[in-house]
Amino acid sequence: MRAINRGKQPSLAQLRAFVAVAEQLHFRDAAISIGMSQPALSGAVSALEEALGVQLLERTTRKVLLSPAGERLAVRARAVLDEVGTLMEEADAVRAPFTGVLRLGVIPTVAPYLLPTVIGLVHEKYPDLDLQVHEEQTSSLIEGLGAGRLDLLLLAVPLGVPGVTELPLFDEDFVLVTPLDHWLGGREGIPRDALRELNLLLLDEGHCLRDQALDICREAGRADAPVTTTAAGLSTLVQLVAGGLGVTLLPRTAVRVETSRSNQLLTGYFADPAPTRRIALAMRTGAARAAEYEELAAALRGAVKPLPVRVL
């Protein structure tokens, strides 16, 4: 057995030469198949045998055979070259804008109402982009972005998180959703201070929309937490309102979808300036694909113009 030269590592050229010989079992044909001269190919295989410390080929005057070690290592060498090829393909995809995988994190109070627009835009304008959507609450999305599990977030801002850059898309008003017999149902110009006396139903803790609603109540002069009943999602929340358990706040983008589920609801609109939330894309500051994300944000601003929002 040859002594192993620990100071050398096999090169890709050596592996290609060996795999070519393993496939052709002929030095001349192998050299032609990879565009290498026969002496160079023979030297590369010999250098690989020296680096590995094993004999890979059995050479005779008439033919070339793989040794038992050569048969085993040829499989490994092919796998290495296949992985290198995959690496180069992935690098090509990264260099080409809007190709490869984009892992988008979205909060639950945005996903059902904005994703049709986002997905439609991607299919139409960026057909080579592999969009993968993850619906999670804000804290989980931020953790995923920082850990590299997610590439881009679609959520309510400001976040105030170091190392995260926000790309604002639009502002949208909150709407008051009430039962049919509520005194504020269907009204325009509702003053914010009306929230001081309402039985307001909110989402469970962890949803940013809950925190925003509580902030609106505090701005209206309400000191106590107006929470007696909560829900895990907006659909359940609206059904509780339809059942007469209270009222709730919905972002304008959610109103059409959620209020269409029941004929026992009315919507009321606040006087200007109405309480609002801001929706943005968020990325890691200095992200390698920052230019793509900024272009995507600009495209999204155009795509959401038909929605009841104020594009930024």
Side-chain angles (χ1 to χ4, degrees):
M1 180 177 290
R2 298 171 185 243
I4 301 175
N5 188 340
R6 296 293 186 184
K8 292 184 178 180
Q9 294 288 328
S11 69
L12 292 178
Q14 292 167 0
L15 293 177
R16 290 192 186 96
F18 170 53
V19 168
V21 174
E23 291 174 348
Q24 302 292 334
L25 295 178
H26 195 286
F27 275 97
R28 185 186 62 193
D29 293 345
I32 292 172
S33 71
I34 60 174
M36 181 182 284
S37 69
Q38 189 170 331
L41 179 131
S42 179
V45 174
S46 296
L48 179 62
E49 289 179 316
E50 181 180 352
L52 296 177
V54 296
Q55 182 178 342
L56 300 172
L57 304 176
E58 296 178 4
R59 300 166 176 84
T60 70
T61 56
R62 293 186 176 182
K63 58 183 177 180
V64 177
L65 298 174
L66 290 175
S67 70
E71 290 181 355
R72 293 176 58 183
L73 294 179
V75 175
R76 297 288 187 182
R78 288 190 188 96
V80 170
L81 294 177
D82 287 344
E83 285 300 315
V84 171
T86 301
L87 173 67
M88 297 306 294
E89 290 174 2
E90 188 66 22
D92 289 341
V94 170
R95 286 195 299 270
F98 298 106
T99 60
V101 174
L102 174 59
R103 298 164 296 180
L104 177 67
V106 191
I107 56 174
T109 59
V110 164
Y113 321 113
L114 248 12
L115 279 180
T117 300
V118 174
I119 293 171
L121 172 67
V122 169
H123 284 170
E124 178 182 350
K125 194 166 184 178
Y126 312 115
D128 295 325
L129 189 64
D130 181 8
L131 182 66
Q132 299 179 1
V133 177
H134 302 262
E135 184 185 50
E136 301 170 24
Q137 293 186 7
T138 299
S139 59
S140 177
L141 293 180
I142 294 172
E143 180 277 327
L145 185 69
R149 178 172 59 84
L150 298 172
D151 303 310
L152 194 63
L153 308 181
L154 179 59
L155 73 180
V157 296
L159 300 173
V161 177
V164 175
T165 297
E166 299 168 6
L167 305 172
L169 300 175
F170 61 84
D171 290 337
E172 62 177 327
D173 293 342
F174 282 100
V175 173
L176 187 68
V177 181
T178 74
L180 290 178
D181 59 355
H182 197 276
W183 66 284
L184 289 176
R187 286 188 52 182
E188 300 274 352
I190 299 172
R192 286 200 194 196
D193 58 15
L195 291 170
R196 297 177 187 175
E197 308 300 328
L198 298 179
N199 181 25
L200 192 63
L201 308 179
L202 300 178
L203 293 174
D204 293 336
E205 291 187 6
H207 289 276
C208 63
L209 188 60
R210 171 195 173 97
D211 298 330
Q212 292 161 351
L214 291 174
D215 288 342
I216 292 168
C217 289
R218 282 190 285 268
E219 291 171 3
R222 184 166 184 164
D224 64 313
V227 182
T228 57
T229 301
T230 62
L234 292 183
S235 297
T236 302
L237 204 59
V238 169
Q239 292 305 314
L240 294 175
V241 173
L245 297 187
V247 301
T248 195
L249 295 172
L250 285 186
R252 283 290 298 271
T253 52
V255 170
R256 183 182 61 82
V257 172
E258 298 302 341
T259 59
S260 66
R261 303 178 193 275
S262 173
N263 60 3
Q264 301 299 307
L265 299 167
L266 290 174
T267 52
Y269 298 88
F270 290 94
D272 291 334
T276 65
R277 72 171 180 175
R278 176 162 292 182
I279 301 300
L281 291 176
M283 63 180 179
R284 288 183 295 276
T285 301
R289 301 173 71 180
E292 288 179 60
Y293 300 155
E294 290 170 0
E295 182 179 334
L296 178 61
L300 271 175
R301 293 185 193 105
V304 300
K305 284 181 178 180
L307 302 179
V309 300
R310 293 185 297 280
V311 177
L312 299 172

